[in-house]
Amino acid sequence: HIIVIEISAAFKTYFYNIIKMTTLPPLLPKVDAILVLDGDGNRLAGKYYGNFLKKGEAEEGKISSVEEVRSAFERQLHSKMHGIAARADAAEVVTVMGKTAVFCGGTSANSNGGGDVRVVHVGPSSESELVLAHLAEGMYDALSHLMGGATDRTMVLDNLELVFLLIDEHCDGPIVISPALTPAGRP
């Protein structure tokens, strides 16, 4: 015997509305900013996405413009990163203004490292640090290849159009579109 159950139209509508109202977390990693900083914390290249650190998010109106807010964020970021020698294949994590910042690179030019430039991925506090680390390592590796292995300040400034192209190809808005960037020597 087969039992046929007829579902009323009202139940179908109710069930559909519950499914429609349920929001699932996004599956694609998101970033709030991608920055390329020199050894002194100066921004060589970068891109901020969405409403990240807009004018109203500053400390009680002490900072007036978006650029001043971003500069203050970058100063705080540099003060936390200062003294940490992150290798190109091992990202480091810091928290600044409630955001998760993952960076790699930044060894001095006269050591065995490639240069003084750091690649920083800034994400919301809810984003996985491992995902941001993977993205930062991959982008640093790609930057190193584009610069012929020398990721110092002058090389990056001389090839700034390639750096901006790398950032643009890495993300479409805040959504990371090239998660396949993998550091050299990794699967």
Side-chain angles (χ1 to χ4, degrees):
H1 295 262
I2 298 177
I3 300 174
V4 178
I5 299 175
E6 188 174 316
I7 300 175
S8 70
F11 182 74
K12 287 180 187 176
T13 305
Y14 172 76
F15 186 70
Y16 175 74
N17 286 337
I18 288 176
I19 291 175
K20 191 169 83 171
M21 289 181 351
T22 305
T23 57
L24 298 174
L27 299 176
L28 297 173
K30 291 184 180 178
V31 294
D32 290 329
I34 297 175
L35 304 170
V36 178
L37 305 175
D38 68 4
D40 297 327
N42 300 315
R43 181 183 348 137
L44 303 177
K47 192 162 188 179
Y48 287 90
Y49 300 101
N51 293 328
F52 177 69
L53 294 180
K54 292 294 183 187
K55 185 177 174 182
E57 294 183 41
E59 293 179 28
E60 300 179 18
K62 293 179 184 175
I63 303 172
S64 58
S65 74
V66 173
E67 189 57 38
E68 288 176 358
V69 172
R70 291 176 178 173
S71 294
F73 173 80
E74 291 165 9
R75 281 192 304 274
Q76 283 187 16
L77 179 65
H78 177 67
S79 70
K80 288 208 173 183
M81 293 186 328
H82 186 70
I84 300 173
R87 301 184 335 228
D89 62 344
E92 298 289 336
V93 180
V94 295
T95 302
V96 180
M97 291 184 176
K99 304 288 184 180
T100 302
V102 178
F103 65 96
C104 57
T107 56
S108 63
N110 50 358
S111 69
N112 291 338
D116 64 345
V117 172
R118 290 184 171 182
V119 171
V120 183
H121 278 61
V122 181
S125 59
S126 61
E127 187 61 67
S128 168
E129 295 169 357
L130 293 175
V131 170
L132 291 174
H134 178 72
L135 297 171
E137 292 166 1
M139 188 165 173
Y140 186 84
D141 186 56
L143 179 68
S144 178
H145 280 74
L146 282 174
M147 302 297 126
T151 54
D152 58 7
R153 176 179 169 53
T154 55
M155 183 63 84
V156 169
L157 289 176
D158 288 345
N159 296 289
L160 205 51
E161 68 280 356
L162 292 175
V163 176
F164 281 116
L165 182 63
L166 177 63
I167 292 171
D168 286 341
E169 291 297 318
H170 192 62
C171 285
D172 182 24
I175 306 290
V176 176
I177 57 176
S178 60
L181 286 177
T182 56
R186 293 191 182 179

